[in-house]
Amino acid sequence: MKATAVARSNIALAKYWGKRAVPGNVPATPSLSITLAGLETRTTVSFDAALERDAFTLGGALVDGEPLARVTRVLDEVRALAGFAHRARVESANDFPTASGLASSASGFAALVRAALAAAKVEPAPGGGALAAASRMARRASASAARSMFGGFVALGTGEGEGDDPAAVVVAPKEHWEIAVVVGAVTLAPKNVGSTSGMQHCRDTSPYFPAWVEDAPKLFAEVRRAVLARDLAALGAAAEASALRMHACMMASDPALLYFQPATMTLLAEVRALRAQGVGAWATIDAGPHVKVITALADAPRVEAALQPHCARTLVAVPGDGAEVA
Ligand code: DP6
């Protein structure tokens, strides 16, 4: 009744931001991400009849409140499938800063779902295969986690025509394209507004939210086309537009949702300066101040050197594998 799984973070090139008004955490916008090698969460789940409640540790520290409640909701789905009520011990560790816009919830919930299903020895009901079912389960916990179930270039739709219950799908395997994501972490501190509440606030108060939702499928289609065609300039331009339009929508919320810090702007200026020098580099930013730069693998050292003076930490990631039982 014990299993360990590893899952990697992902970076969305076409962003998911906002939920459709249906139950089950269904995105309002289609998204496409790269699963990243080397940004890993490792999670062990042990179901134990002797436990009175679920216990969750992250990096060795006991976690309760809403994060524990989210873990328990995933475990409840697995317990319902397995037909038992045993509580579980969940031990999780990231090899990168938690809650800092490096998408730890994506790798975290993907690893949790895979480990819990393996520990309970249940295969979720088919409908595109066991991994698709695991991806749907991960999406219900955190939509970006649905994408980390798979490796390479991965899309998640909005569920229309899929029974309002989308699973992520592989657009291309990691071998399709040797591309690099240079992560520039401007701080190692946790962010102050999480994605779930941030997108809810944006939907409720930003006059730009309907425009964001209407426009997003066009950028998603362009990102998908550019990935399949290995067209870096087109991909970069569409990915940067997706991130900046999402942030415009956030900033138009009331009160404004402003994830940028001064260093964020400095990094955006560095990326523009690189482009002016002929280096193919494009920025994307999630619900945090960090800047991630999409570039050719050969240009990654030069991009990292340009970001490094303004960052608490930089790293270069390449496309990686999906969630797997360790
Ligand atoms: C900005 O997947 O963390 O990183 O579904 O509420 O858990 P919940 O949100 P989450 O949101 C990720 C938002 C994003 C863009 C993206 O990854 O597509």
Side-chain angles (χ1 to χ4, degrees):
M1 298 284 259
K2 176 175 177 176
T4 298
V6 172
R8 286 95 197 163
S9 181
N10 69 72
I11 178 74
L13 304 172
K15 300 295 186 192
Y16 147 59
W17 188 254
K19 301 169 197 294
R20 282 178 58 212
V22 291
N25 205 31
V26 180
T29 63
S31 56
L32 195 155
S33 58
I34 308 178
T35 303
L36 300 174
L39 291 170
E40 282 185 12
T41 300
R42 176 175 291 264
T43 299
T44 300
V45 174
S46 336
F47 288 104
D48 184 342
L51 286 174
E52 282 182 11
R53 58 179 67 86
D54 295 326
F56 172 37
T57 61
L58 183 57
L62 208 54
V63 178
D64 56 15
E66 181 52 24
L68 172 63
R70 274 176 102 162
V71 166
T72 287
R73 284 197 288 275
V74 171
L75 296 171
D76 283 345
E77 273 199 58
V78 174
R79 284 187 277 256
L81 281 171
F84 62 62
H86 308 328
R87 303 288 112 185
R89 204 172 298 106
V90 176
E91 295 160 278
S92 195
N94 294 325
D95 67 356
F96 56 95
T98 305
S100 58
L102 297 178
S104 55
S105 80
S107 52
F109 284 106
L112 173 66
V113 167
R114 281 236 68 181
L117 289 169
K121 299 186 178 56
V122 286
E123 287 267 307
L131 266 186
S135 173
R136 285 188 198 97
M137 196 179 269
R139 187 210 75 239
R140 290 191 282 269
S142 183
S144 55
R147 301 185 309 237
S148 278
M149 204 54 77
F150 298 101
F153 302 81
V154 184
L156 177 66
T158 57
E160 279 124 317
E162 290 175 273
D164 288 336
D165 194 20
V169 291
V170 176
V171 171
K174 65 173 186 173
E175 297 77 19
H176 171 70
W177 198 5
E178 267 205 334
I179 194 174
V181 177
V182 183
V183 177
V186 307
T187 161
L188 301 183
K191 63 185 165 194
N192 43 26
V193 183
S195 300
T196 307
S197 57
M199 65 177 77
Q200 179 69 41
H201 176 65
C202 189
R203 185 196 155 107
D204 289 347
T205 68
S206 176
Y208 296 174
F209 187 77
W212 155 250
V213 170
E214 194 194 321
D215 177 74
K218 283 174 259 167
L219 282 178
F220 167 80
E222 174 61 0
V223 164
R224 189 173 182 282
R225 187 202 65 74
V227 165
L228 290 172
R230 298 189 192 90
D231 182 341
L232 184 60
L235 176 68
E240 198 171 288
S242 178
L244 293 178
R245 284 174 202 180
M246 177 182 77
H247 279 274
C249 183
M250 293 163 163
M251 288 179 202
S253 301
D254 186 13
L257 201 49
L258 187 61
Y259 286 105
F260 285 23
Q261 291 182 8
T264 312
M265 292 305 286
T266 304
L267 291 174
L268 285 176
E270 287 291 344
V271 169
R272 277 159 192 249
L274 282 165
R275 284 212 292 274
Q277 293 157 29
V279 180
W282 290 267
T284 185
I285 306 169
D286 287 314
H290 316 295
V291 176
K292 295 108 178 186
V293 181
I294 301 136
T295 190
L297 194 54
D299 288 331
R302 182 158 172 198
V303 171
E304 188 176 28
L307 303 191
Q308 208 270 323
H310 315 288
C311 292
R313 175 174 163 178
T314 59
L315 60 96
V316 178
V318 295
D321 293 317
E324 57 206 358
V325 176

mmCIF file of all heavy atoms in Angstrom, residues 10-19 25 27 29-33 70 101 103 105-106 109 138-147 191 194-197 199 246-247 250 285-288 292, ligand 1:
data_model
loop_
_atom_site.group_PDB
_atom_site.id
_atom_site.type_symbol
_atom_site.label_atom_id
_atom_site.label_comp_id
_atom_site.label_asym_id
_atom_site.label_seq_id
_atom_site.Cartn_x
_atom_site.Cartn_y
_atom_site.Cartn_z
ATOM 1 N N ASN A 10 6.038 21.998 -15.352
ATOM 2 C CA ASN A 10 5.907 22.357 -16.762
ATOM 3 C C ASN A 10 5.782 23.866 -16.877
ATOM 4 O O ASN A 10 5.416 24.550 -15.924
ATOM 5 C CB ASN A 10 4.722 21.629 -17.409
ATOM 6 C CG ASN A 10 3.382 22.111 -16.902
ATOM 7 O OD1 ASN A 10 2.943 23.219 -17.213
ATOM 8 N ND2 ASN A 10 2.704 21.270 -16.106
ATOM 9 N N ILE A 11 6.116 24.374 -18.050
ATOM 10 C CA ILE A 11 5.965 25.812 -18.308
ATOM 11 C C ILE A 11 5.009 25.981 -19.481
ATOM 12 O O ILE A 11 5.221 25.385 -20.548
ATOM 13 C CB ILE A 11 7.336 26.473 -18.567
ATOM 14 C CG1 ILE A 11 7.169 27.956 -18.882
ATOM 15 C CG2 ILE A 11 8.126 25.821 -19.687
ATOM 16 C CD1 ILE A 11 6.849 28.779 -17.692
ATOM 17 N N ALA A 12 3.941 26.731 -19.249
ATOM 18 C CA ALA A 12 2.948 26.920 -20.315
ATOM 19 C C ALA A 12 3.431 27.976 -21.302
ATOM 20 O O ALA A 12 3.860 29.062 -20.907
ATOM 21 C CB ALA A 12 1.608 27.329 -19.715
ATOM 22 N N LEU A 13 3.357 27.635 -22.576
ATOM 23 C CA LEU A 13 3.668 28.588 -23.650
ATOM 24 C C LEU A 13 2.386 29.311 -24.053
ATOM 25 O O LEU A 13 2.405 30.493 -24.372
ATOM 26 C CB LEU A 13 4.279 27.847 -24.833
ATOM 27 C CG LEU A 13 5.519 27.016 -24.482
ATOM 28 C CD1 LEU A 13 5.949 26.164 -25.655
ATOM 29 C CD2 LEU A 13 6.653 27.918 -24.026
ATOM 30 N N ALA A 14 1.279 28.588 -24.068
ATOM 31 C CA ALA A 14 -0.055 29.189 -24.181
ATOM 32 C C ALA A 14 -0.688 28.976 -22.805
ATOM 33 O O ALA A 14 -0.780 27.848 -22.324
ATOM 34 C CB ALA A 14 -0.879 28.508 -25.265
ATOM 35 N N LYS A 15 -1.104 30.071 -22.171
ATOM 36 C CA LYS A 15 -1.457 30.008 -20.749
ATOM 37 C C LYS A 15 -2.899 29.584 -20.477
ATOM 38 O O LYS A 15 -3.827 30.021 -21.165
ATOM 39 C CB LYS A 15 -1.264 31.380 -20.101
ATOM 40 C CG LYS A 15 0.143 31.945 -20.160
ATOM 41 C CD LYS A 15 1.139 31.118 -19.380
ATOM 42 C CE LYS A 15 2.502 31.810 -19.353
ATOM 43 N NZ LYS A 15 3.553 30.907 -18.864
ATOM 44 N N TYR A 16 -3.033 28.806 -19.416
ATOM 45 C CA TYR A 16 -4.318 28.551 -18.759
ATOM 46 C C TYR A 16 -4.482 29.616 -17.684
ATOM 47 O O TYR A 16 -3.620 29.763 -16.819
ATOM 48 C CB TYR A 16 -4.291 27.143 -18.162
ATOM 49 C CG TYR A 16 -5.076 26.948 -16.879
ATOM 50 C CD1 TYR A 16 -6.450 27.198 -16.817
ATOM 51 C CD2 TYR A 16 -4.438 26.468 -15.733
ATOM 52 C CE1 TYR A 16 -7.153 26.998 -15.633
ATOM 53 C CE2 TYR A 16 -5.135 26.254 -14.554
ATOM 54 C CZ TYR A 16 -6.484 26.526 -14.502
ATOM 55 O OH TYR A 16 -7.171 26.329 -13.342
ATOM 56 N N TRP A 17 -5.544 30.404 -17.755
ATOM 57 C CA TRP A 17 -5.816 31.380 -16.675
ATOM 58 C C TRP A 17 -7.313 31.610 -16.643
ATOM 59 O O TRP A 17 -7.871 32.225 -17.542
ATOM 60 C CB TRP A 17 -5.058 32.689 -16.916
ATOM 61 C CG TRP A 17 -5.154 33.633 -15.743
ATOM 62 C CD1 TRP A 17 -5.899 34.778 -15.667
ATOM 63 C CD2 TRP A 17 -4.478 33.510 -14.486
ATOM 64 N NE1 TRP A 17 -5.738 35.363 -14.428
ATOM 65 C CE2 TRP A 17 -4.868 34.601 -13.687
ATOM 66 C CE3 TRP A 17 -3.595 32.557 -13.941
ATOM 67 C CZ2 TRP A 17 -4.393 34.783 -12.387
ATOM 68 C CZ3 TRP A 17 -3.124 32.741 -12.646
ATOM 69 C CH2 TRP A 17 -3.520 33.848 -11.888
ATOM 70 N N GLY A 18 -7.970 31.073 -15.652
ATOM 71 C CA GLY A 18 -9.418 31.196 -15.510
ATOM 72 C C GLY A 18 -10.080 29.846 -15.717
ATOM 73 O O GLY A 18 -9.574 28.997 -16.440
ATOM 74 N N LYS A 19 -11.213 29.690 -15.026
ATOM 75 C CA LYS A 19 -11.946 28.418 -15.103
ATOM 76 C C LYS A 19 -13.292 28.632 -15.766
ATOM 77 O O LYS A 19 -13.909 29.688 -15.589
ATOM 78 C CB LYS A 19 -12.141 27.863 -13.690
ATOM 79 C CG LYS A 19 -10.823 27.627 -12.958
ATOM 80 C CD LYS A 19 -11.048 27.346 -11.486
ATOM 81 C CE LYS A 19 -9.784 27.512 -10.644
ATOM 82 N NZ LYS A 19 -8.715 26.576 -10.887
ATOM 83 N N ASN A 25 -12.996 22.013 -11.940
ATOM 84 C CA ASN A 25 -11.760 22.690 -12.317
ATOM 85 C C ASN A 25 -11.451 22.551 -13.806
ATOM 86 O O ASN A 25 -10.410 22.011 -14.203
ATOM 87 C CB ASN A 25 -10.589 22.165 -11.477
ATOM 88 C CG ASN A 25 -9.464 23.176 -11.372
ATOM 89 O OD1 ASN A 25 -9.705 24.382 -11.389
ATOM 90 N ND2 ASN A 25 -8.244 22.696 -11.303
ATOM 91 N N PRO A 27 -10.568 24.346 -17.342
ATOM 92 C CA PRO A 27 -9.998 25.614 -17.789
ATOM 93 C C PRO A 27 -10.923 26.398 -18.731
ATOM 94 O O PRO A 27 -11.660 25.811 -19.531
ATOM 95 C CB PRO A 27 -8.735 25.207 -18.546
ATOM 96 C CG PRO A 27 -8.393 23.855 -18.030
ATOM 97 C CD PRO A 27 -9.708 23.199 -17.706
ATOM 98 N N THR A 29 -9.428 28.547 -20.781
ATOM 99 C CA THR A 29 -8.570 28.745 -21.962
ATOM 100 C C THR A 29 -7.760 27.479 -22.226
ATOM 101 O O THR A 29 -7.318 26.818 -21.283
ATOM 102 C CB THR A 29 -7.588 29.926 -21.753
ATOM 103 O OG1 THR A 29 -6.713 29.624 -20.657
ATOM 104 C CG2 THR A 29 -8.318 31.228 -21.472
ATOM 105 N N PRO A 30 -7.536 27.149 -23.505
ATOM 106 C CA PRO A 30 -6.687 25.989 -23.797
ATOM 107 C C PRO A 30 -5.225 26.370 -23.567
ATOM 108 O O PRO A 30 -4.838 27.515 -23.787
ATOM 109 C CB PRO A 30 -6.949 25.748 -25.287
ATOM 110 C CG PRO A 30 -7.363 27.073 -25.837
ATOM 111 C CD PRO A 30 -8.014 27.835 -24.711
ATOM 112 N N SER A 31 -4.431 25.409 -23.116
ATOM 113 C CA SER A 31 -3.031 25.700 -22.810
ATOM 114 C C SER A 31 -2.115 24.663 -23.436
ATOM 115 O O SER A 31 -2.547 23.547 -23.763
ATOM 116 C CB SER A 31 -2.822 25.747 -21.287
ATOM 117 O OG SER A 31 -3.253 24.556 -20.674
ATOM 118 N N LEU A 32 -0.870 25.049 -23.621
ATOM 119 C CA LEU A 32 0.133 24.122 -24.166
ATOM 120 C C LEU A 32 1.443 24.377 -23.437
ATOM 121 O O LEU A 32 1.879 25.532 -23.341
ATOM 122 C CB LEU A 32 0.305 24.335 -25.671
ATOM 123 C CG LEU A 32 1.036 23.217 -26.427
ATOM 124 C CD1 LEU A 32 0.624 23.206 -27.894
ATOM 125 C CD2 LEU A 32 2.543 23.279 -26.308
ATOM 126 N N SER A 33 2.032 23.317 -22.908
ATOM 127 C CA SER A 33 3.225 23.484 -22.079
ATOM 128 C C SER A 33 4.334 22.532 -22.493
ATOM 129 O O SER A 33 4.114 21.575 -23.238
ATOM 130 C CB SER A 33 2.872 23.244 -20.606
ATOM 131 O OG SER A 33 2.321 21.960 -20.434
ATOM 132 N N ARG A 70 -6.580 19.895 -0.100
ATOM 133 C CA ARG A 70 -6.475 19.575 -1.533
ATOM 134 C C ARG A 70 -5.897 18.183 -1.734
ATOM 135 O O ARG A 70 -6.338 17.447 -2.613
ATOM 136 C CB ARG A 70 -5.566 20.600 -2.234
ATOM 137 C CG ARG A 70 -6.292 21.848 -2.691
ATOM 138 C CD ARG A 70 -5.343 22.864 -3.285
ATOM 139 N NE ARG A 70 -5.384 22.864 -4.748
ATOM 140 C CZ ARG A 70 -4.925 23.868 -5.499
ATOM 141 N NH1 ARG A 70 -4.373 24.910 -4.938
ATOM 142 N NH2 ARG A 70 -4.999 23.808 -6.808
ATOM 143 N N GLY A 101 6.207 30.415 -8.323
ATOM 144 C CA GLY A 101 5.955 30.626 -9.741
ATOM 145 C C GLY A 101 6.712 29.642 -10.600
ATOM 146 O O GLY A 101 6.714 29.753 -11.818
ATOM 147 N N ALA A 103 5.771 26.642 -10.682
ATOM 148 C CA ALA A 103 4.740 25.635 -10.920
ATOM 149 C C ALA A 103 4.930 24.362 -10.111
ATOM 150 O O ALA A 103 4.895 23.268 -10.630
ATOM 151 C CB ALA A 103 4.642 25.321 -12.411
ATOM 152 N N SER A 105 2.799 23.247 -7.978
ATOM 153 C CA SER A 105 1.534 22.510 -7.852
ATOM 154 C C SER A 105 1.362 21.556 -9.029
ATOM 155 O O SER A 105 0.778 20.488 -8.885
ATOM 156 C CB SER A 105 0.340 23.456 -7.720
ATOM 157 O OG SER A 105 -0.079 23.964 -8.955
ATOM 158 N N ALA A 106 1.902 21.895 -10.195
ATOM 159 C CA ALA A 106 1.771 21.008 -11.357
ATOM 160 C C ALA A 106 2.502 19.688 -11.117
ATOM 161 O O ALA A 106 1.918 18.610 -11.210
ATOM 162 C CB ALA A 106 2.306 21.698 -12.603
ATOM 163 N N PHE A 109 0.906 17.761 -7.818
ATOM 164 C CA PHE A 109 -0.323 16.973 -7.930
ATOM 165 C C PHE A 109 -0.186 15.836 -8.939
ATOM 166 O O PHE A 109 -0.815 14.789 -8.771
ATOM 167 C CB PHE A 109 -1.526 17.872 -8.230
ATOM 168 C CG PHE A 109 -1.993 18.627 -7.018
ATOM 169 C CD1 PHE A 109 -1.753 19.983 -6.870
ATOM 170 C CD2 PHE A 109 -2.639 17.963 -5.987
ATOM 171 C CE1 PHE A 109 -2.160 20.672 -5.739
ATOM 172 C CE2 PHE A 109 -3.054 18.636 -4.840
ATOM 173 C CZ PHE A 109 -2.810 20.000 -4.720
ATOM 174 N N ALA A 138 -5.670 14.597 -11.935
ATOM 175 C CA ALA A 138 -4.721 15.662 -11.571
ATOM 176 C C ALA A 138 -5.311 17.032 -11.903
ATOM 177 O O ALA A 138 -5.150 17.988 -11.146
ATOM 178 C CB ALA A 138 -3.398 15.458 -12.297
ATOM 179 N N ARG A 139 -6.018 17.137 -13.043
ATOM 180 C CA ARG A 139 -6.628 18.423 -13.429
ATOM 181 C C ARG A 139 -7.639 18.887 -12.392
ATOM 182 O O ARG A 139 -7.716 20.078 -12.069
ATOM 183 C CB ARG A 139 -7.327 18.295 -14.793
ATOM 184 C CG ARG A 139 -7.825 19.644 -15.338
ATOM 185 C CD ARG A 139 -9.055 19.504 -16.212
ATOM 186 N NE ARG A 139 -10.238 19.253 -15.417
ATOM 187 C CZ ARG A 139 -11.027 18.189 -15.530
ATOM 188 N NH1 ARG A 139 -10.787 17.239 -16.422
ATOM 189 N NH2 ARG A 139 -12.067 18.039 -14.732
ATOM 190 N N ARG A 140 -8.421 17.959 -11.871
ATOM 191 C CA ARG A 140 -9.425 18.346 -10.872
ATOM 192 C C ARG A 140 -8.750 18.951 -9.637
ATOM 193 O O ARG A 140 -9.315 19.805 -8.969
ATOM 194 C CB ARG A 140 -10.299 17.145 -10.510
ATOM 195 C CG ARG A 140 -11.227 16.729 -11.655
ATOM 196 C CD ARG A 140 -12.282 15.726 -11.235
ATOM 197 N NE ARG A 140 -11.774 14.369 -11.121
ATOM 198 C CZ ARG A 140 -11.767 13.472 -12.122
ATOM 199 N NH1 ARG A 140 -12.259 13.790 -13.307
ATOM 200 N NH2 ARG A 140 -11.277 12.262 -11.937
ATOM 201 N N ALA A 141 -7.506 18.511 -9.344
ATOM 202 C CA ALA A 141 -6.759 19.065 -8.204
ATOM 203 C C ALA A 141 -6.095 20.391 -8.567
ATOM 204 O O ALA A 141 -6.124 21.345 -7.796
ATOM 205 C CB ALA A 141 -5.716 18.062 -7.735
ATOM 206 N N SER A 142 -5.481 20.454 -9.732
ATOM 207 C CA SER A 142 -4.795 21.664 -10.212
ATOM 208 C C SER A 142 -4.609 21.486 -11.711
ATOM 209 O O SER A 142 -3.937 20.546 -12.146
ATOM 210 C CB SER A 142 -3.441 21.807 -9.512
ATOM 211 O OG SER A 142 -2.811 23.003 -9.933
ATOM 212 N N ALA A 143 -5.232 22.368 -12.499
ATOM 213 C CA ALA A 143 -5.334 22.078 -13.933
ATOM 214 C C ALA A 143 -3.968 21.939 -14.607
ATOM 215 O O ALA A 143 -3.789 21.097 -15.486
ATOM 216 C CB ALA A 143 -6.184 23.130 -14.630
ATOM 217 N N SER A 144 -2.986 22.744 -14.184
ATOM 218 C CA SER A 144 -1.674 22.624 -14.824
ATOM 219 C C SER A 144 -1.045 21.252 -14.549
ATOM 220 O O SER A 144 -0.190 20.794 -15.308
ATOM 221 C CB SER A 144 -0.746 23.744 -14.358
ATOM 222 O OG SER A 144 -0.655 23.755 -12.955
ATOM 223 N N ALA A 145 -1.452 20.586 -13.461
ATOM 224 C CA ALA A 145 -0.918 19.259 -13.124
ATOM 225 C C ALA A 145 -1.331 18.208 -14.147
ATOM 226 O O ALA A 145 -0.625 17.216 -14.343
ATOM 227 C CB ALA A 145 -1.381 18.845 -11.733
ATOM 228 N N ALA A 146 -2.481 18.433 -14.813
ATOM 229 C CA ALA A 146 -2.922 17.489 -15.852
ATOM 230 C C ALA A 146 -1.852 17.344 -16.923
ATOM 231 O O ALA A 146 -1.618 16.262 -17.468
ATOM 232 C CB ALA A 146 -4.230 17.977 -16.472
ATOM 233 N N ARG A 147 -1.165 18.470 -17.229
ATOM 234 C CA ARG A 147 -0.158 18.463 -18.297
ATOM 235 C C ARG A 147 1.112 17.748 -17.863
ATOM 236 O O ARG A 147 1.800 17.154 -18.687
ATOM 237 C CB ARG A 147 0.141 19.911 -18.736
ATOM 238 C CG ARG A 147 -1.106 20.680 -19.252
ATOM 239 C CD ARG A 147 -0.725 22.070 -19.780
ATOM 240 N NE ARG A 147 0.079 22.804 -18.823
ATOM 241 C CZ ARG A 147 -0.227 23.995 -18.313
ATOM 242 N NH1 ARG A 147 -1.344 24.633 -18.683
ATOM 243 N NH2 ARG A 147 0.564 24.585 -17.449
ATOM 244 N N LYS A 191 5.234 33.258 -3.413
ATOM 245 C CA LYS A 191 4.402 34.350 -3.933
ATOM 246 C C LYS A 191 3.260 34.629 -2.963
ATOM 247 O O LYS A 191 2.933 33.800 -2.132
ATOM 248 C CB LYS A 191 3.870 33.978 -5.310
ATOM 249 C CG LYS A 191 2.948 32.768 -5.327
ATOM 250 C CD LYS A 191 2.573 32.408 -6.746
ATOM 251 C CE LYS A 191 1.967 31.017 -6.821
ATOM 252 N NZ LYS A 191 1.891 30.501 -8.174
ATOM 253 N N GLY A 194 -1.814 33.020 -4.770
ATOM 254 C CA GLY A 194 -1.718 31.774 -5.536
ATOM 255 C C GLY A 194 -2.555 31.845 -6.805
ATOM 256 O O GLY A 194 -3.423 32.707 -6.958
ATOM 257 N N SER A 195 -2.285 30.901 -7.719
ATOM 258 C CA SER A 195 -2.971 30.910 -9.011
ATOM 259 C C SER A 195 -4.483 30.742 -8.860
ATOM 260 O O SER A 195 -5.257 31.433 -9.527
ATOM 261 C CB SER A 195 -2.459 29.775 -9.898
ATOM 262 O OG SER A 195 -1.103 29.910 -10.118
ATOM 263 N N THR A 196 -4.905 29.823 -7.993
ATOM 264 C CA THR A 196 -6.332 29.507 -7.891
ATOM 265 C C THR A 196 -7.131 30.748 -7.495
ATOM 266 O O THR A 196 -8.121 31.099 -8.151
ATOM 267 C CB THR A 196 -6.559 28.367 -6.866
ATOM 268 O OG1 THR A 196 -5.720 27.275 -7.219
ATOM 269 C CG2 THR A 196 -8.005 27.925 -6.844
ATOM 270 N N SER A 197 -6.685 31.431 -6.433
ATOM 271 C CA SER A 197 -7.433 32.615 -6.007
ATOM 272 C C SER A 197 -7.185 33.780 -6.962
ATOM 273 O O SER A 197 -8.088 34.588 -7.209
ATOM 274 C CB SER A 197 -7.087 32.993 -4.568
ATOM 275 O OG SER A 197 -5.710 33.214 -4.443
ATOM 276 N N MET A 199 -6.765 33.708 -10.263
ATOM 277 C CA MET A 199 -7.587 33.633 -11.488
ATOM 278 C C MET A 199 -9.071 33.839 -11.180
ATOM 279 O O MET A 199 -9.811 34.377 -11.998
ATOM 280 C CB MET A 199 -7.317 32.346 -12.273
ATOM 281 C CG MET A 199 -7.693 31.059 -11.634
ATOM 282 S SD MET A 199 -7.369 29.645 -12.735
ATOM 283 C CE MET A 199 -5.603 29.440 -12.606
ATOM 284 N N MET A 246 -2.102 37.656 -20.580
ATOM 285 C CA MET A 246 -2.592 37.153 -19.290
ATOM 286 C C MET A 246 -2.285 38.170 -18.187
ATOM 287 O O MET A 246 -3.146 38.469 -17.339
ATOM 288 C CB MET A 246 -1.946 35.804 -18.983
ATOM 289 C CG MET A 246 -2.328 35.234 -17.631
ATOM 290 S SD MET A 246 -1.514 33.657 -17.270
ATOM 291 C CE MET A 246 0.135 34.197 -16.838
ATOM 292 N N HIS A 247 -1.067 38.715 -18.195
ATOM 293 C CA HIS A 247 -0.701 39.683 -17.150
ATOM 294 C C HIS A 247 -1.470 40.993 -17.306
ATOM 295 O O HIS A 247 -1.799 41.633 -16.303
ATOM 296 C CB HIS A 247 0.819 39.895 -17.103
ATOM 297 C CG HIS A 247 1.497 38.804 -16.332
ATOM 298 N ND1 HIS A 247 1.660 38.820 -14.972
ATOM 299 C CD2 HIS A 247 1.977 37.602 -16.744
ATOM 300 C CE1 HIS A 247 2.232 37.699 -14.571
ATOM 301 N NE2 HIS A 247 2.445 36.932 -15.631
ATOM 302 N N MET A 250 -4.612 40.321 -15.608
ATOM 303 C CA MET A 250 -4.402 40.323 -14.156
ATOM 304 C C MET A 250 -4.310 41.755 -13.618
ATOM 305 O O MET A 250 -4.922 42.095 -12.611
ATOM 306 C CB MET A 250 -3.086 39.602 -13.817
ATOM 307 C CG MET A 250 -3.055 38.124 -14.105
ATOM 308 S SD MET A 250 -1.304 37.599 -14.123
ATOM 309 C CE MET A 250 -1.477 35.827 -13.940
ATOM 310 N N ILE A 285 5.966 34.428 -18.396
ATOM 311 C CA ILE A 285 5.892 34.707 -16.955
ATOM 312 C C ILE A 285 4.592 34.114 -16.429
ATOM 313 O O ILE A 285 3.531 34.316 -17.024
ATOM 314 C CB ILE A 285 5.893 36.238 -16.690
ATOM 315 C CG1 ILE A 285 7.097 36.908 -17.369
ATOM 316 C CG2 ILE A 285 5.892 36.539 -15.199
ATOM 317 C CD1 ILE A 285 7.020 38.426 -17.385
ATOM 318 N N ASP A 286 4.663 33.373 -15.322
ATOM 319 C CA ASP A 286 3.454 32.800 -14.726
ATOM 320 C C ASP A 286 2.949 33.688 -13.585
ATOM 321 O O ASP A 286 3.221 34.873 -13.590
ATOM 322 C CB ASP A 286 3.739 31.358 -14.291
ATOM 323 C CG ASP A 286 3.834 30.436 -15.497
ATOM 324 O OD1 ASP A 286 2.953 30.539 -16.366
ATOM 325 O OD2 ASP A 286 4.789 29.653 -15.576
ATOM 326 N N ALA A 287 2.246 33.091 -12.646
ATOM 327 C CA ALA A 287 1.661 33.880 -11.556
ATOM 328 C C ALA A 287 2.711 34.131 -10.481
ATOM 329 O O ALA A 287 2.593 33.702 -9.337
ATOM 330 C CB ALA A 287 0.454 33.152 -10.986
ATOM 331 N N GLY A 288 3.748 34.832 -10.871
ATOM 332 C CA GLY A 288 4.864 35.148 -9.991
ATOM 333 C C GLY A 288 5.775 36.108 -10.726
ATOM 334 O O GLY A 288 5.490 36.471 -11.871
ATOM 335 N N LYS A 292 10.869 33.246 -17.532
ATOM 336 C CA LYS A 292 11.421 32.045 -18.157
ATOM 337 C C LYS A 292 11.589 32.361 -19.636
ATOM 338 O O LYS A 292 10.680 32.923 -20.262
ATOM 339 C CB LYS A 292 10.489 30.852 -17.973
ATOM 340 C CG LYS A 292 10.326 30.438 -16.505
ATOM 341 C CD LYS A 292 8.976 30.791 -15.976
ATOM 342 C CE LYS A 292 8.812 30.340 -14.531
ATOM 343 N NZ LYS A 292 7.435 30.565 -14.059
HETATM 344 C C1 DP6 B 1 -0.206 30.993 -14.680
HETATM 345 O O1 DP6 B 1 -2.876 25.064 -12.374
HETATM 346 O O2 DP6 B 1 -1.899 26.428 -10.487
HETATM 347 O O3 DP6 B 1 0.775 28.850 -14.297
HETATM 348 O O4 DP6 B 1 -6.070 24.832 -11.454
HETATM 349 O O5 DP6 B 1 -6.387 26.570 -9.718
HETATM 350 O O6 DP6 B 1 -4.644 24.817 -9.381
HETATM 351 P P1 DP6 B 1 -5.409 25.650 -10.390
HETATM 352 O O7 DP6 B 1 -4.345 26.624 -11.062
HETATM 353 P P2 DP6 B 1 -2.871 26.314 -11.611
HETATM 354 O O8 DP6 B 1 -2.684 27.569 -12.594
HETATM 355 C C2 DP6 B 1 -1.578 27.714 -13.437
HETATM 356 C C3 DP6 B 1 -1.615 29.065 -14.052
HETATM 357 C C4 DP6 B 1 -0.370 29.462 -14.826
HETATM 358 C C5 DP6 B 1 -0.517 29.174 -16.325
HETATM 359 C C6 DP6 B 1 -0.396 27.730 -16.737
HETATM 360 O O9 DP6 B 1 0.339 26.950 -16.127
HETATM 361 O O10 DP6 B 1 -1.019 27.406 -17.774
#
